[in-house]
Amino acid sequence: MSFKSKRKSVVQAFESDLVTIRLDKIAPLYVVPPQTKKTVKYQRISSSIREIGLVEPLVVNRPSAEGDHYILLDGHMRLAVLQDQSVSATKCIVSTDDEAFTYNRRISRLATIQEHKMILRALVKGVPEERLAKALNINIETLKGKKRLLDGISSEVAELLKDKQVAVAGFRLLRKMKPMRQLEAAQLMVAMNNFTVNYVKSILIATSDDQLKDQAKPKRKLGVSKEQLELMEREASNLDKQVRLVEDSFGSDHMDLVLARSFVARLVRNDQVSKYLTVQHNGLFVELSKIAERSSFTH
């Protein structure tokens, strides 16, 4: 017996070559409003394009048979910046599909530590600090702070937070703790999915003096009394233990919930059971029906 394999051709999502297109031939799906042009994000894109050019090309779809304009699928802010800078034409990626979804939702944003490493690589390659600061739309002092981001941070913490959006000020607070406490704080941040400066500050406040790097300098209590601080320390320790217990049992608990939902769904679909519950315990039947309709238990 012989078998013939059939090859299915893969349809390319984009044309293989970049195309240079005049800006007046690109039709955006919406106009970038004036208030957006005042944001930090817009100013950073503007500075980057001015200093090093367009890094990420616009994504367009070819004109239809009736028109002569390319439809802009992604890059509305970049297009607005190019127009503001009086650029006449730019290179574009041509999509073979006119699906106008937001491509940026498929992109993982640059984490704080990743940005730090990018800055170090650029400086090693000889990029002047002034030019790099202009490209990132930040001042020299902020750039130097990002450059020294991991000074005093343990390697375990850096590995744990390498893909997280942690503010630079958060690393400054972590730097005040000893390595073991830094690791505990980072693990708690990851477990709670909370990387805000205020959360790191609360962990620092709840840290005992012997876990701080500079014990000679008393930490600022920010108006917190000694009793409140001791309570916060106990609560933080208890919360850390509870989070670890939940992590250990999450898989089995989730499986139990899925099996229980399936059992409830079978009960609800049973005509005799549903009729009985509707008459005798209607409120309970409504709640059981809601459970049976759930597709997941992530929330």
Side-chain angles (χ1 to χ4, degrees):
M1 183 182 293
S2 62
F3 296 90
K4 292 183 178 180
S5 61
K6 295 183 178 179
R7 291 185 178 180
K8 294 183 178 179
S9 59
V10 178
V11 179
Q12 287 186 330
F14 306 98
E15 295 183 9
S16 56
D17 297 323
L18 294 176
V19 178
T20 301
I21 304 173
R22 285 171 30 204
L23 297 193
D24 58 4
K25 289 295 183 180
I26 299 177
L29 297 176
Y30 62 89
V31 177
V32 176
Q35 56 268 28
T36 300
K37 294 185 178 183
K38 298 178 182 178
T39 62
V40 174
K41 181 179 179 181
Y42 186 88
Q43 296 301 323
R44 178 168 291 187
I45 294 174
S46 179
S47 298
S48 176
I49 292 177
R50 184 184 303 109
E51 290 298 320
I52 60 177
L54 188 64
V55 175
E56 186 179 356
L58 307 182
V59 180
V60 299
N61 183 246
R62 286 196 176 275
S64 61
E66 299 80 19
D68 61 347
H69 281 70
Y70 291 82
I71 304 301
L72 181 64
L73 301 180
D74 180 66
H76 286 75
M77 290 182 68
R78 279 167 276 152
L79 175 63
V81 169
L82 292 171
Q83 290 172 334
D84 289 346
Q85 296 181 3
S86 301
V87 176
S88 59
T90 185
K91 291 186 179 297
C92 300
I93 299 173
V94 180
S95 172
T96 57
D97 191 351
D98 62 354
E99 182 64 30
F101 66 87
T102 303
Y103 289 81
N104 287 333
R105 291 180 181 176
R106 307 293 192 262
I107 300 173
S108 299
R109 293 300 170 193
L110 193 66
T112 312
I113 291 180
Q114 292 170 344
E115 183 187 36
H116 157 76
K117 292 181 178 179
M118 179 196 72
I119 289 173
L120 290 183
R121 283 198 296 269
L123 293 174
V124 168
K125 289 182 178 180
V127 179
E129 289 186 348
E130 293 78 8
R131 187 182 182 190
L132 190 57
K134 286 182 179 179
L136 296 174
N137 195 35
I138 56 178
N139 58 44
I140 292 294
E141 291 304 316
T142 302
L143 178 69
K144 291 180 178 178
K146 291 177 179 289
K147 176 183 174 183
R148 298 189 300 266
L149 182 75
L150 297 182
D151 290 356
I153 300 295
S154 68
S155 57
E156 293 85 355
V157 172
E159 179 65 22
L160 200 60
L161 301 178
K162 65 180 181 181
D163 58 347
K164 309 301 181 185
Q165 295 288 346
V166 184
V168 175
F171 284 98
R172 285 200 294 266
L173 295 173
L174 287 173
R175 202 174 292 132
K176 297 181 179 181
M177 309 175 196
K178 290 183 178 179
M180 286 302 297
R181 181 56 176 169
Q182 284 184 16
L183 183 58
E184 291 176 357
Q187 289 172 338
L188 192 57
M189 291 160 65
V190 172
M192 300 303 293
N193 194 30
N194 191 336
F195 306 97
T196 62
V197 174
N198 285 337
Y199 188 64
V200 183
K201 187 180 296 184
S202 68
I203 296 175
L204 177 64
I205 292 174
T207 302
S208 58
D209 290 338
D210 61 345
Q211 293 178 303
L212 295 176
K213 286 186 176 179
D214 188 3
Q215 297 185 38
K217 182 179 179 181
K219 60 183 176 180
R220 187 183 175 192
K221 297 298 190 298
L222 301 176
V224 180
S225 66
K226 182 179 179 181
E227 292 76 15
Q228 290 174 321
L229 181 60
E230 292 175 350
L231 178 61
M232 288 177 63
E233 290 174 347
R234 289 197 300 271
E235 291 297 328
S237 177
N238 291 334
L239 180 59
D240 191 19
K241 293 177 182 177
Q242 291 173 14
V243 168
R244 294 179 187 277
L245 288 174
V246 169
E247 285 181 332
D248 292 339
S249 61
F250 176 79
S252 59
D253 289 346
H254 190 269
M255 178 62 71
D256 291 341
L257 285 172
V258 171
L259 294 175
R261 187 204 67 82
S262 300
F263 178 73
V264 170
R266 288 173 57 191
L267 284 180
V268 171
R269 287 195 298 266
N270 186 290
D271 291 338
Q272 293 182 342
V273 174
S274 61
K275 289 178 181 178
Y276 173 80
L277 290 177
T278 302
V279 175
Q280 300 295 333
H281 306 282
N282 187 58
L284 176 61
F285 178 73
V286 172
E287 295 302 320
L288 290 175
S289 299
K290 291 179 180 178
I291 293 174
E293 292 172 358
R294 289 188 68 94
S295 59
S296 68
F297 296 94
T298 54
H299 301 287

